[in-house]
């Protein structure tokens, strides 16, 4: 299997990636997106910052990230939590339909007789899934949502508000989540079965770190003349971009630097391909079943009942 992030790093200038951020309300998704923008925009000369709206449903926020002109579109979507007095049944439907609608759009363009050379591509390359920092295990709601998402999109799990857990709790929680994911056969990115030998050591390190335990903040603090994003408490400052404080920087690097090309490539080669095959084979089946206006499925039933 071809992998992308090593061979085409030089092409990053023309990359556009679409991601969704998923999780219950109040977990820090909007803050995370703002943090990502601030942390990246800050390194550019024109440091204009736009506050993002708070989210209650699927909403797209779009911004141009990083020096190289990489464009990252982020869509935030909230999963209503238990006890929200909202029926949680089928709560994955909006996000699943949203992701599939993007594949559907692409497929429609691709099948046109006069198709465009560059088909407008809004396919979702990654779903960043926020897990509440309970310290226990994955909730049944999270399991149900994740089991549906991993079939259609690259899923990157994240423990929200990691600063609310001690280092020991964080390590134990991560281990528990990894065991839960494995017990429920939930496949998260990067997948071992599709990787190149060259990428294996780097991907192994990422897998050992999953789920990323992240801290978000949009507040700047001045420390020794340096402006840092962080969360201040009575006992000190948690620095967002400090790799010994939390995994934000590891995750940011993976999403928009080292693995962006691979996320895009694997979406096209695997997830979109699965969608395309399923969609086209359903169409073929329904065409075969209606021959000369007669329902052949029904005819088969009749024939079988005669036998
Ligand atoms: P959303 O509903 O998932 O979009 O959550 P928000 O981004 O609106 O955040 C909800 C609350 O959590 C706000 O008060 C944030 O300041 C706070 N918050 C966000 N990120 C963190 C974090 O990393 N740690 C802690 N302790 N609080 C956070
Ligand atoms: Mg929000």
């Amino acid at each position: 299997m071809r992998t992308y992030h090593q061979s085409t790093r030089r092409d990053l200038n023309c990359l556009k990636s679409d991601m969704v951020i998923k999780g219950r309300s109040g977990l820090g998704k909007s803050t995370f997106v703002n943090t990502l923008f601030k942390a990246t925009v800050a390194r550019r000369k024109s440091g204009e910052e736009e506050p993002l709206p708070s989210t209650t449903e699927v909403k797209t926020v779009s911004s141009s990230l990083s020096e190289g002109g990489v464009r990252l579109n982020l869509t935030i979507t909230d999963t209503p939590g238990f006890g929200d007095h909202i029926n949680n049944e089928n709560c994955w439907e909006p996000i699943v339909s949203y992701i599939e609608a993007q594949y559907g759009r692409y497929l429609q363009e691709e099948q046109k007789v006069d198709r465009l050379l560059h088909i407008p591509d809004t396919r979702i390359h990654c779903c960043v899934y926020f897990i509440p920092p309970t310290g226990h295990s994955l909730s049944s709601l999270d399991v149900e949502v994740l089991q549906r998402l991993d079939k259609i999109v690259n899923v990157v799990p994240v423990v929200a508000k990691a600063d609310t857990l001690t280092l020991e709790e964080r390590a134990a929680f991560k281990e528990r989540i990894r065991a839960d994911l494995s017990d429920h056969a939930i496949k998260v990115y990067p997948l071992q079965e599709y990787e190149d030998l060259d990428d294996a050591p780097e991907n192994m390190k990422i897998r050992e770190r999953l789920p990323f335990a992240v801290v978000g903040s949009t507040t700047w603090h001045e420390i020794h003349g340096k402006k840092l994003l962080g969360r201040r408490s009575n006992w000190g400052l948690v620095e967002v971009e400090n790799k010994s404080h939390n995994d934000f920087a590891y995750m940011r690097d993976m999403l928009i630097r080292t693995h962006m090309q691979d996320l895009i490539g694997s979406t096209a080669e695997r997830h979109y391909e699965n969608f395309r095959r399923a969609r086209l084979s359903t169409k073929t089946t329904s065409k075969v079943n209606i021959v000369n206006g007669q329902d052949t499925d029904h005819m088969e039933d009749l024939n079988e009942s005669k036998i």
Side-chain angles (χ1 to χ4, degrees), residues 215-255:
V215 172
S217 170
T218 51
T219 310
W220 294 106
H221 300 272
E222 192 146 340
I223 307 287
H224 307 305
K226 255 177 100 180
K227 271 174 81 187
L228 302 171
L229 283 171
R231 304 189 76 86
R232 194 191 292 287
S233 62
N234 286 341
W235 49 91
L237 181 75
V238 184
E239 296 166 24
V240 165
E241 294 188 86
N242 188 329
K243 287 185 173 173
S244 64
H245 290 194
N246 78 105
D247 298 333
F248 174 87
Y250 286 108
M251 181 171 164
R252 187 260 322 273
D253 289 350
M254 184 186 94
L255 291 183

mmCIF file of all heavy atoms in Angstrom, residues 215-255:
data_model
loop_
_atom_site.group_PDB
_atom_site.id
_atom_site.type_symbol
_atom_site.label_atom_id
_atom_site.label_comp_id
_atom_site.label_asym_id
_atom_site.label_seq_id
_atom_site.Cartn_x
_atom_site.Cartn_y
_atom_site.Cartn_z
ATOM 1 N N VAL A 215 -5.214 19.628 25.788
ATOM 2 C CA VAL A 215 -5.668 20.793 26.544
ATOM 3 C C VAL A 215 -5.852 21.914 25.529
ATOM 4 O O VAL A 215 -5.001 22.109 24.658
ATOM 5 C CB VAL A 215 -4.616 21.197 27.602
ATOM 6 C CG1 VAL A 215 -4.985 22.514 28.259
ATOM 7 C CG2 VAL A 215 -4.459 20.096 28.645
ATOM 8 N N GLY A 216 -6.972 22.606 25.640
ATOM 9 C CA GLY A 216 -7.211 23.725 24.742
ATOM 10 C C GLY A 216 -7.310 25.021 25.524
ATOM 11 O O GLY A 216 -7.745 25.021 26.674
ATOM 12 N N SER A 217 -6.885 26.091 24.922
ATOM 13 C CA SER A 217 -7.058 27.412 25.531
ATOM 14 C C SER A 217 -6.807 28.488 24.487
ATOM 15 O O SER A 217 -5.973 28.316 23.601
ATOM 16 C CB SER A 217 -6.069 27.604 26.678
ATOM 17 O OG SER A 217 -6.105 28.942 27.096
ATOM 18 N N THR A 218 -7.548 29.561 24.609
ATOM 19 C CA THR A 218 -7.338 30.655 23.663
ATOM 20 C C THR A 218 -6.766 31.870 24.395
ATOM 21 O O THR A 218 -6.762 32.965 23.867
ATOM 22 C CB THR A 218 -8.673 31.020 22.984
ATOM 23 O OG1 THR A 218 -9.651 31.216 23.998
ATOM 24 C CG2 THR A 218 -9.128 29.929 22.048
ATOM 25 N N THR A 219 -6.287 31.645 25.610
ATOM 26 C CA THR A 219 -5.736 32.758 26.399
ATOM 27 C C THR A 219 -4.210 32.753 26.333
ATOM 28 O O THR A 219 -3.575 31.723 26.581
ATOM 29 C CB THR A 219 -6.189 32.627 27.879
ATOM 30 O OG1 THR A 219 -7.596 32.434 27.890
ATOM 31 C CG2 THR A 219 -5.820 33.855 28.688
ATOM 32 N N TRP A 220 -3.675 33.925 26.009
ATOM 33 C CA TRP A 220 -2.212 34.069 25.946
ATOM 34 C C TRP A 220 -1.669 34.433 27.323
ATOM 35 O O TRP A 220 -2.289 35.198 28.053
ATOM 36 C CB TRP A 220 -1.815 35.180 24.968
ATOM 37 C CG TRP A 220 -2.145 34.880 23.534
ATOM 38 C CD1 TRP A 220 -3.148 35.434 22.800
ATOM 39 C CD2 TRP A 220 -1.473 33.956 22.676
ATOM 40 N NE1 TRP A 220 -3.155 34.909 21.524
ATOM 41 C CE2 TRP A 220 -2.133 34.004 21.423
ATOM 42 C CE3 TRP A 220 -0.385 33.086 22.828
ATOM 43 C CZ2 TRP A 220 -1.735 33.228 20.339
ATOM 44 C CZ3 TRP A 220 0.013 32.318 21.749
ATOM 45 C CH2 TRP A 220 -0.659 32.387 20.513
ATOM 46 N N HIS A 221 -0.517 33.881 27.679
ATOM 47 C CA HIS A 221 0.156 34.226 28.938
ATOM 48 C C HIS A 221 1.589 34.607 28.604
ATOM 49 O O HIS A 221 2.215 33.965 27.750
ATOM 50 C CB HIS A 221 0.158 33.026 29.896
ATOM 51 C CG HIS A 221 -1.216 32.556 30.248
ATOM 52 N ND1 HIS A 221 -1.932 33.068 31.311
ATOM 53 C CD2 HIS A 221 -2.032 31.641 29.648
ATOM 54 C CE1 HIS A 221 -3.113 32.465 31.367
ATOM 55 N NE2 HIS A 221 -3.200 31.610 30.363
ATOM 56 N N GLU A 222 2.077 35.623 29.289
ATOM 57 C CA GLU A 222 3.455 36.017 28.992
ATOM 58 C C GLU A 222 4.391 35.383 30.017
ATOM 59 O O GLU A 222 4.288 35.629 31.222
ATOM 60 C CB GLU A 222 3.576 37.547 29.011
ATOM 61 C CG GLU A 222 4.908 37.966 28.425
ATOM 62 C CD GLU A 222 4.835 39.290 27.666
ATOM 63 O OE1 GLU A 222 3.723 39.693 27.271
ATOM 64 O OE2 GLU A 222 5.908 39.893 27.501
ATOM 65 N N ILE A 223 5.292 34.518 29.563
ATOM 66 C CA ILE A 223 6.248 33.837 30.449
ATOM 67 C C ILE A 223 7.656 34.126 29.925
ATOM 68 O O ILE A 223 7.972 33.771 28.781
ATOM 69 C CB ILE A 223 6.018 32.292 30.463
ATOM 70 C CG1 ILE A 223 4.561 31.957 30.783
ATOM 71 C CG2 ILE A 223 6.975 31.580 31.414
ATOM 72 C CD1 ILE A 223 4.122 32.177 32.215
ATOM 73 N N HIS A 224 8.474 34.747 30.754
ATOM 74 C CA HIS A 224 9.842 35.130 30.370
ATOM 75 C C HIS A 224 9.859 35.813 29.001
ATOM 76 O O HIS A 224 10.636 35.441 28.110
ATOM 77 C CB HIS A 224 10.775 33.902 30.346
ATOM 78 C CG HIS A 224 10.740 33.111 31.616
ATOM 79 N ND1 HIS A 224 10.995 33.686 32.857
ATOM 80 C CD2 HIS A 224 10.480 31.801 31.863
ATOM 81 C CE1 HIS A 224 10.887 32.760 33.796
ATOM 82 N NE2 HIS A 224 10.566 31.615 33.222
ATOM 83 N N GLY A 225 8.964 36.736 28.821
ATOM 84 C CA GLY A 225 8.939 37.514 27.581
ATOM 85 C C GLY A 225 8.346 36.770 26.390
ATOM 86 O O GLY A 225 8.289 37.295 25.280
ATOM 87 N N LYS A 226 7.904 35.520 26.605
ATOM 88 C CA LYS A 226 7.337 34.739 25.498
ATOM 89 C C LYS A 226 5.831 34.605 25.678
ATOM 90 O O LYS A 226 5.352 34.390 26.799
ATOM 91 C CB LYS A 226 7.940 33.326 25.504
ATOM 92 C CG LYS A 226 8.974 33.120 24.412
ATOM 93 C CD LYS A 226 9.583 31.747 24.517
ATOM 94 C CE LYS A 226 8.978 30.775 23.520
ATOM 95 N NZ LYS A 226 9.601 29.430 23.665
ATOM 96 N N LYS A 227 5.090 34.748 24.576
ATOM 97 C CA LYS A 227 3.641 34.592 24.680
ATOM 98 C C LYS A 227 3.265 33.131 24.462
ATOM 99 O O LYS A 227 3.622 32.534 23.432
ATOM 100 C CB LYS A 227 2.963 35.465 23.620
ATOM 101 C CG LYS A 227 2.666 36.889 24.127
ATOM 102 C CD LYS A 227 2.137 37.759 23.017
ATOM 103 C CE LYS A 227 0.656 37.521 22.801
ATOM 104 N NZ LYS A 227 0.109 38.208 21.627
ATOM 105 N N LEU A 228 2.569 32.574 25.439
ATOM 106 C CA LEU A 228 2.207 31.152 25.343
ATOM 107 C C LEU A 228 0.702 30.969 25.544
ATOM 108 O O LEU A 228 0.097 31.643 26.374
ATOM 109 C CB LEU A 228 2.920 30.339 26.437
ATOM 110 C CG LEU A 228 4.445 30.369 26.476
ATOM 111 C CD1 LEU A 228 4.941 29.696 27.743
ATOM 112 C CD2 LEU A 228 5.017 29.665 25.249
ATOM 113 N N LEU A 229 0.124 30.036 24.807
ATOM 114 C CA LEU A 229 -1.277 29.674 25.044
ATOM 115 C C LEU A 229 -1.313 28.701 26.211
ATOM 116 O O LEU A 229 -0.506 27.768 26.263
ATOM 117 C CB LEU A 229 -1.856 28.968 23.810
ATOM 118 C CG LEU A 229 -2.241 29.828 22.619
ATOM 119 C CD1 LEU A 229 -2.591 28.935 21.429
ATOM 120 C CD2 LEU A 229 -3.426 30.736 22.954
ATOM 121 N N GLY A 230 -2.207 28.924 27.156
ATOM 122 C CA GLY A 230 -2.237 27.989 28.282
ATOM 123 C C GLY A 230 -3.420 28.207 29.198
ATOM 124 O O GLY A 230 -4.224 29.131 29.015
ATOM 125 N N ARG A 231 -3.536 27.334 30.180
ATOM 126 C CA ARG A 231 -4.586 27.443 31.201
ATOM 127 C C ARG A 231 -3.911 27.621 32.552
ATOM 128 O O ARG A 231 -3.134 26.767 32.973
ATOM 129 C CB ARG A 231 -5.465 26.187 31.235
ATOM 130 C CG ARG A 231 -6.103 25.846 29.917
ATOM 131 C CD ARG A 231 -7.117 24.728 30.086
ATOM 132 N NE ARG A 231 -8.337 25.238 30.687
ATOM 133 C CZ ARG A 231 -9.328 25.783 30.001
ATOM 134 N NH1 ARG A 231 -9.259 25.864 28.691
ATOM 135 N NH2 ARG A 231 -10.390 26.232 30.612
ATOM 136 N N ARG A 232 -4.233 28.731 33.204
ATOM 137 C CA ARG A 232 -3.598 29.006 34.492
ATOM 138 C C ARG A 232 -4.475 28.511 35.643
ATOM 139 O O ARG A 232 -5.693 28.658 35.614
ATOM 140 C CB ARG A 232 -3.356 30.514 34.658
ATOM 141 C CG ARG A 232 -2.402 30.827 35.817
ATOM 142 C CD ARG A 232 -2.378 32.293 36.156
ATOM 143 N NE ARG A 232 -1.773 33.125 35.121
ATOM 144 C CZ ARG A 232 -0.461 33.162 34.869
ATOM 145 N NH1 ARG A 232 0.371 32.399 35.534
ATOM 146 N NH2 ARG A 232 0.000 33.969 33.942
ATOM 147 N N SER A 233 -3.821 27.895 36.625
ATOM 148 C CA SER A 233 -4.528 27.527 37.852
ATOM 149 C C SER A 233 -3.687 28.021 39.020
ATOM 150 O O SER A 233 -2.616 28.586 38.806
ATOM 151 C CB SER A 233 -4.706 26.010 37.924
ATOM 152 O OG SER A 233 -3.437 25.402 37.963
ATOM 153 N N ASN A 234 -4.163 27.781 40.244
ATOM 154 C CA ASN A 234 -3.423 28.241 41.422
ATOM 155 C C ASN A 234 -2.031 27.617 41.486
ATOM 156 O O ASN A 234 -1.133 28.148 42.102
ATOM 157 C CB ASN A 234 -4.174 27.855 42.703
ATOM 158 C CG ASN A 234 -5.389 28.739 42.884
ATOM 159 O OD1 ASN A 234 -5.454 29.817 42.283
ATOM 160 N ND2 ASN A 234 -6.336 28.294 43.695
ATOM 161 N N TRP A 235 -1.899 26.447 40.908
ATOM 162 C CA TRP A 235 -0.633 25.718 41.033
ATOM 163 C C TRP A 235 0.227 25.772 39.774
ATOM 164 O O TRP A 235 1.201 25.062 39.643
ATOM 165 C CB TRP A 235 -0.899 24.268 41.449
ATOM 166 C CG TRP A 235 -1.957 23.621 40.615
ATOM 167 C CD1 TRP A 235 -1.777 22.919 39.475
ATOM 168 C CD2 TRP A 235 -3.363 23.651 40.855
ATOM 169 N NE1 TRP A 235 -2.976 22.513 38.971
ATOM 170 C CE2 TRP A 235 -3.976 22.935 39.798
ATOM 171 C CE3 TRP A 235 -4.184 24.205 41.854
ATOM 172 C CZ2 TRP A 235 -5.359 22.762 39.715
ATOM 173 C CZ3 TRP A 235 -5.557 24.021 41.753
ATOM 174 C CH2 TRP A 235 -6.126 23.313 40.710
ATOM 175 N N GLY A 236 -0.154 26.609 38.825
ATOM 176 C CA GLY A 236 0.732 26.767 37.676
ATOM 177 C C GLY A 236 0.005 26.898 36.352
ATOM 178 O O GLY A 236 -1.224 26.990 36.313
ATOM 179 N N LEU A 237 0.807 26.904 35.306
ATOM 180 C CA LEU A 237 0.261 27.091 33.964
ATOM 181 C C LEU A 237 0.419 25.803 33.148
ATOM 182 O O LEU A 237 1.518 25.250 33.060
ATOM 183 C CB LEU A 237 1.015 28.230 33.262
ATOM 184 C CG LEU A 237 0.556 28.576 31.850
ATOM 185 C CD1 LEU A 237 -0.758 29.350 31.877
ATOM 186 C CD2 LEU A 237 1.625 29.380 31.109
ATOM 187 N N VAL A 238 -0.669 25.332 32.570
ATOM 188 C CA VAL A 238 -0.570 24.222 31.618
ATOM 189 C C VAL A 238 -0.401 24.844 30.249
ATOM 190 O O VAL A 238 -1.262 25.600 29.796
ATOM 191 C CB VAL A 238 -1.855 23.356 31.616
ATOM 192 C CG1 VAL A 238 -1.684 22.156 30.691
ATOM 193 C CG2 VAL A 238 -2.206 22.901 33.001
ATOM 194 N N GLU A 239 0.737 24.564 29.626
ATOM 195 C CA GLU A 239 1.003 25.161 28.316
ATOM 196 C C GLU A 239 0.464 24.248 27.224
ATOM 197 O O GLU A 239 0.819 23.068 27.165
ATOM 198 C CB GLU A 239 2.505 25.357 28.136
ATOM 199 C CG GLU A 239 3.110 26.333 29.126
ATOM 200 C CD GLU A 239 4.634 26.250 29.155
ATOM 201 O OE1 GLU A 239 5.230 25.811 28.150
ATOM 202 O OE2 GLU A 239 5.204 26.609 30.199
ATOM 203 N N VAL A 240 -0.362 24.827 26.374
ATOM 204 C CA VAL A 240 -1.005 24.056 25.314
ATOM 205 C C VAL A 240 0.014 23.369 24.412
ATOM 206 O O VAL A 240 -0.103 22.188 24.097
ATOM 207 C CB VAL A 240 -1.921 24.986 24.469
ATOM 208 C CG1 VAL A 240 -2.319 24.330 23.164
ATOM 209 C CG2 VAL A 240 -3.164 25.366 25.258
ATOM 210 N N GLU A 241 1.049 24.119 23.989
ATOM 211 C CA GLU A 241 1.967 23.565 22.994
ATOM 212 C C GLU A 241 3.190 22.871 23.590
ATOM 213 O O GLU A 241 4.092 22.496 22.854
ATOM 214 C CB GLU A 241 2.401 24.673 22.033
ATOM 215 C CG GLU A 241 1.237 25.184 21.193
ATOM 216 C CD GLU A 241 1.682 26.147 20.114
ATOM 217 O OE1 GLU A 241 2.062 25.681 19.036
ATOM 218 O OE2 GLU A 241 1.673 27.357 20.382
ATOM 219 N N ASN A 242 3.223 22.722 24.908
ATOM 220 C CA ASN A 242 4.341 22.041 25.548
ATOM 221 C C ASN A 242 4.084 20.527 25.568
ATOM 222 O O ASN A 242 3.132 20.054 26.198
ATOM 223 C CB ASN A 242 4.496 22.584 26.977
ATOM 224 C CG ASN A 242 5.745 22.075 27.644
ATOM 225 O OD1 ASN A 242 6.195 20.962 27.374
ATOM 226 N ND2 ASN A 242 6.304 22.891 28.518
ATOM 227 N N LYS A 243 4.942 19.790 24.861
ATOM 228 C CA LYS A 243 4.702 18.351 24.700
ATOM 229 C C LYS A 243 4.820 17.574 26.004
ATOM 230 O O LYS A 243 4.356 16.445 26.092
ATOM 231 C CB LYS A 243 5.661 17.771 23.650
ATOM 232 C CG LYS A 243 5.289 18.175 22.234
ATOM 233 C CD LYS A 243 6.172 17.511 21.199
ATOM 234 C CE LYS A 243 5.652 17.814 19.801
ATOM 235 N NZ LYS A 243 6.538 17.353 18.737
ATOM 236 N N SER A 244 5.451 18.172 27.029
ATOM 237 C CA SER A 244 5.496 17.443 28.294
ATOM 238 C C SER A 244 4.257 17.761 29.152
ATOM 239 O O SER A 244 4.034 17.139 30.191
ATOM 240 C CB SER A 244 6.792 17.742 29.057
ATOM 241 O OG SER A 244 6.822 19.105 29.397
ATOM 242 N N HIS A 245 3.460 18.724 28.724
ATOM 243 C CA HIS A 245 2.234 19.051 29.465
ATOM 244 C C HIS A 245 1.002 18.325 28.930
ATOM 245 O O HIS A 245 0.098 17.975 29.668
ATOM 246 C CB HIS A 245 1.975 20.561 29.440
ATOM 247 C CG HIS A 245 2.952 21.339 30.264
ATOM 248 N ND1 HIS A 245 2.760 22.653 30.611
ATOM 249 C CD2 HIS A 245 4.144 20.987 30.828
ATOM 250 C CE1 HIS A 245 3.788 23.082 31.334
ATOM 251 N NE2 HIS A 245 4.644 22.096 31.466
ATOM 252 N N ASN A 246 0.939 18.157 27.613
ATOM 253 C CA ASN A 246 -0.196 17.445 26.998
ATOM 254 C C ASN A 246 0.120 17.132 25.536
ATOM 255 O O ASN A 246 1.179 17.506 25.024
ATOM 256 C CB ASN A 246 -1.485 18.277 27.120
ATOM 257 C CG ASN A 246 -1.544 19.399 26.100
ATOM 258 O OD1 ASN A 246 -2.257 19.319 25.128
ATOM 259 N ND2 ASN A 246 -0.767 20.455 26.286
ATOM 260 N N ASP A 247 -0.799 16.425 24.860
ATOM 261 C CA ASP A 247 -0.510 15.916 23.507
ATOM 262 C C ASP A 247 -0.974 16.832 22.376
ATOM 263 O O ASP A 247 -0.985 16.422 21.215
ATOM 264 C CB ASP A 247 -1.200 14.547 23.311
ATOM 265 C CG ASP A 247 -0.701 13.503 24.280
ATOM 266 O OD1 ASP A 247 0.456 13.613 24.738
ATOM 267 O OD2 ASP A 247 -1.474 12.559 24.573
ATOM 268 N N PHE A 248 -1.374 18.070 22.700
ATOM 269 C CA PHE A 248 -1.897 18.954 21.647
ATOM 270 C C PHE A 248 -0.926 19.067 20.461
ATOM 271 O O PHE A 248 -1.319 18.923 19.302
ATOM 272 C CB PHE A 248 -2.203 20.352 22.210
ATOM 273 C CG PHE A 248 -2.607 21.345 21.154
ATOM 274 C CD1 PHE A 248 -3.933 21.456 20.753
ATOM 275 C CD2 PHE A 248 -1.665 22.167 20.525
ATOM 276 C CE1 PHE A 248 -4.315 22.355 19.755
ATOM 277 C CE2 PHE A 248 -2.042 23.069 19.531
ATOM 278 C CZ PHE A 248 -3.368 23.160 19.152
ATOM 279 N N ALA A 249 0.348 19.334 20.761
ATOM 280 C CA ALA A 249 1.322 19.560 19.682
ATOM 281 C C ALA A 249 1.553 18.289 18.857
ATOM 282 O O ALA A 249 1.701 18.365 17.633
ATOM 283 C CB ALA A 249 2.641 20.068 20.254
ATOM 284 N N TYR A 250 1.560 17.119 19.527
ATOM 285 C CA TYR A 250 1.714 15.856 18.782
ATOM 286 C C TYR A 250 0.567 15.703 17.795
ATOM 287 O O TYR A 250 0.744 15.318 16.653
ATOM 288 C CB TYR A 250 1.673 14.663 19.743
ATOM 289 C CG TYR A 250 2.921 14.490 20.573
ATOM 290 C CD1 TYR A 250 2.921 14.769 21.938
ATOM 291 C CD2 TYR A 250 4.105 14.026 19.998
ATOM 292 C CE1 TYR A 250 4.060 14.593 22.706
ATOM 293 C CE2 TYR A 250 5.248 13.854 20.760
ATOM 294 C CZ TYR A 250 5.223 14.137 22.115
ATOM 295 O OH TYR A 250 6.342 13.964 22.870
ATOM 296 N N MET A 251 -0.622 16.016 18.305
ATOM 297 C CA MET A 251 -1.796 15.831 17.481
ATOM 298 C C MET A 251 -1.834 16.827 16.321
ATOM 299 O O MET A 251 -2.101 16.460 15.179
ATOM 300 C CB MET A 251 -3.020 16.020 18.351
ATOM 301 C CG MET A 251 -4.251 15.824 17.573
ATOM 302 S SD MET A 251 -5.588 15.814 18.694
ATOM 303 C CE MET A 251 -6.861 16.053 17.537
ATOM 304 N N ARG A 252 -1.559 18.089 16.640
ATOM 305 C CA ARG A 252 -1.528 19.117 15.595
ATOM 306 C C ARG A 252 -0.519 18.730 14.501
ATOM 307 O O ARG A 252 -0.824 18.814 13.313
ATOM 308 C CB ARG A 252 -1.160 20.456 16.245
ATOM 309 C CG ARG A 252 -1.232 21.680 15.357
ATOM 310 C CD ARG A 252 0.114 22.143 14.823
ATOM 311 N NE ARG A 252 1.214 22.032 15.746
ATOM 312 C CZ ARG A 252 1.560 22.963 16.627
ATOM 313 N NH1 ARG A 252 0.854 24.057 16.731
ATOM 314 N NH2 ARG A 252 2.609 22.780 17.401
ATOM 315 N N ASP A 253 0.657 18.285 14.919
ATOM 316 C CA ASP A 253 1.682 17.912 13.942
ATOM 317 C C ASP A 253 1.210 16.766 13.054
ATOM 318 O O ASP A 253 1.439 16.764 11.851
ATOM 319 C CB ASP A 253 2.982 17.516 14.651
ATOM 320 C CG ASP A 253 3.672 18.731 15.260
ATOM 321 O OD1 ASP A 253 3.237 19.866 14.967
ATOM 322 O OD2 ASP A 253 4.623 18.555 16.049
ATOM 323 N N MET A 254 0.547 15.805 13.668
ATOM 324 C CA MET A 254 0.075 14.681 12.868
ATOM 325 C C MET A 254 -0.998 15.122 11.873
ATOM 326 O O MET A 254 -0.938 14.800 10.691
ATOM 327 C CB MET A 254 -0.490 13.580 13.774
ATOM 328 C CG MET A 254 -0.910 12.360 12.978
ATOM 329 S SD MET A 254 -1.733 11.113 13.966
ATOM 330 C CE MET A 254 -3.428 11.565 13.725
ATOM 331 N N LEU A 255 -1.956 15.894 12.363
ATOM 332 C CA LEU A 255 -3.083 16.278 11.508
ATOM 333 C C LEU A 255 -2.697 17.197 10.363
ATOM 334 O O LEU A 255 -3.173 17.026 9.248
ATOM 335 C CB LEU A 255 -4.177 16.970 12.340
ATOM 336 C CG LEU A 255 -4.946 16.122 13.328
ATOM 337 C CD1 LEU A 255 -6.015 16.966 14.000
ATOM 338 C CD2 LEU A 255 -5.573 14.921 12.634
#
